Amino acid sequence: MSDAATLKTLWAARYREGAAPGGLPDEAMLRHLLAHRSVRAYRPDPVAERVLEGAVAAAQSASTSSNLQVWSVVAVEDAGRRARLAELAGGQAHIRQAPLFLAWLVDLSRLARLGAERSHATEGLDYLETFLVGVVDAALAAQNAAAFLEAQGLGIVYIGGLRNHPEQVARELGLPDRCMAVFGMCVGHPDTDRPAAIKPRLPQSVVLHRERYDIAGEDEAIGRYDGIDEAFQREQGLAPRAWSDAMVRRVAGPQSLSGRDRLREALDALGFALR
Ligand SMILES: Cc1cc2nc3c(=O)[nH]c(=O)nc-3n(C[C@H](O)[C@H](O)[C@H](O)COP(=O)(O)O)c2cc1C
């Protein structure tokens, strides 16, 4: 988080149009959240144990459906294990570089064990609904941890690549049945020689609907965003492209899912009996 940045400048970085709302009772949290940027270059210094403890407390303080708490997290510091996970996630060098890697899990295994110990049915675990509860819980927990970690001056980047090979990742982490890594998160001290920038987002009018879903004005607003994103790409030394075209290409077909098109099969193999 940049203490020096004002809400006005952070808003400008996030949207590159419009103005920040004035008169908020407290701007500090919004300034902190607006300052987020994914970090993919880290110094080797370890993350202190007390910071990990704080991150887990932040994660556990997130809301959780019915207090089921059907998520867990594996903290990986071992360099060899991080290297293997980096390969499984598609050869992502930042997993090797960041001193701490958190694998966020949808974890139905705990309730399965509690049911078995009590000889009690746990058939509810076999429904897509319960799996989704775990995925939502894991995401809420992880994002609370991310916000806390960034407040400590650390950088993070989520790693969806952990779903490229779910069974191998489960073996590497020793996961029981009914437990899957939903995504990972690199954590470390950002390498200030290679700073990351705040990436602009879609105009609020595209994502915020009032009373009823409404696509009037969507094309025009996305057109504006294509221009904003293209300028950002150029500034970052990346190939400029229209965001809308690039995102449509990302969902063109199973070939664009990095092997995750077989997730259904992987879930079966991991002991989720989803109905
Ligand atoms: C669930 C999830 C999975 C992601 N997976 C990856 C990944 O595997 N590798 C990566 O470099 N970034 C990954 N990201 C980071 C996004 O690319 C990034 O958040 C997005 O481009 C917006 O950039 P920003 O976070 O800097 O604002 C992931 C983000 C999320 C939320």
Side-chain angles (χ1 to χ4, degrees):
M1 169 173 173
S2 164
D3 289 333
T6 63
L7 180 61
K8 193 174 160 209
T9 57
L10 290 163
W11 190 276
R14 183 59 78 204
Y15 292 112
R16 301 198 177 192
E17 61 174 31
L24 292 173
D26 190 331
E27 293 180 349
M29 176 63 87
L30 184 56
R31 275 194 284 116
H32 175 57
L33 295 173
L34 284 173
H36 161 77
R37 72 285 310 268
S38 289
V39 171
R40 298 183 179 85
Y42 297 93
R43 299 200 317 261
D45 331 29
V47 174
E49 184 61 26
R50 60 182 177 276
V51 173
L52 176 60
E53 250 179 72
V56 174
Q60 290 193 278
S61 298
S63 295
T64 156
S65 280
S66 310
N67 205 24
L68 280 171
Q69 307 180 61
V70 274
W71 65 273
S72 293
V73 59
V74 182
V76 178
E77 290 175 297
D78 180 79
R81 180 160 294 113
R82 279 190 286 110
R84 291 190 292 279
L85 290 170
E87 286 321 300
L88 289 171
Q92 300 200 46
H94 32 278
I95 304 178
R96 224 170 287 120
Q97 203 184 44
L100 175 63
F101 184 77
L102 300 176
W104 296 92
L105 316 174
V106 49
D107 186 0
L108 306 186
S109 78
R110 194 159 40 235
L111 289 181
R113 285 192 294 279
L114 291 176
E117 284 161 16
R118 287 157 183 72
S119 302
H120 200 286
T122 53
E123 222 184 296
L125 298 179
D126 296 345
Y127 287 82
L128 181 58
E129 162 61 13
T130 315
F131 177 76
L132 193 57
V133 163
V135 172
V136 172
D137 267 16
L140 297 178
Q143 183 52 31
N144 255 19
F148 164 78
L149 290 163
E150 290 178 335
Q152 302 305 303
L154 294 163
I156 66 106
V157 61
Y158 280 92
I159 301 295
L162 217 52
R163 294 192 305 277
N164 292 5
H165 300 285
E167 298 99 320
Q168 287 97 316
V169 167
R171 271 197 294 280
E172 181 63 49
L173 299 176
L175 305 186
D177 269 8
R178 296 173 189 262
C179 198
M180 186 192 103
V182 187
F183 47 76
M185 184 186 283
C186 298
V187 183
H189 301 268
D191 178 351
T192 44
D193 291 340
R194 290 189 288 161
I198 293 176
K199 193 183 280 188
R201 294 291 197 265
L202 287 164
Q204 287 201 357
S205 67
V206 176
V207 301
L208 171 64
H209 303 264
R210 295 185 187 270
E211 309 303 336
R212 288 174 59 78
Y213 200 94
D214 179 10
I215 60 166
E218 183 181 68
D219 283 347
E220 186 272 323
I222 290 180
R224 265 188 353 255
Y225 180 67
D226 276 342
I228 289 169
D229 183 63
E230 199 169 326
F232 176 79
Q233 292 278 119
R234 264 186 227 286
E235 288 160 20
Q236 298 304 306
L238 302 168
R241 82 286 193 262
W243 173 86
S244 53
D245 291 339
M247 296 306 119
V248 167
R249 278 198 297 277
R250 285 292 291 255
V251 295
Q255 72 284 357
S256 41
L257 293 181
S258 312
R260 299 178 215 167
D261 49 303
R262 57 170 297 282
L263 186 57
R264 180 77 221 208
E265 187 187 324
L267 288 173
D268 286 344
L270 292 173
F272 292 95
L274 300 185
R275 303 184 210 163

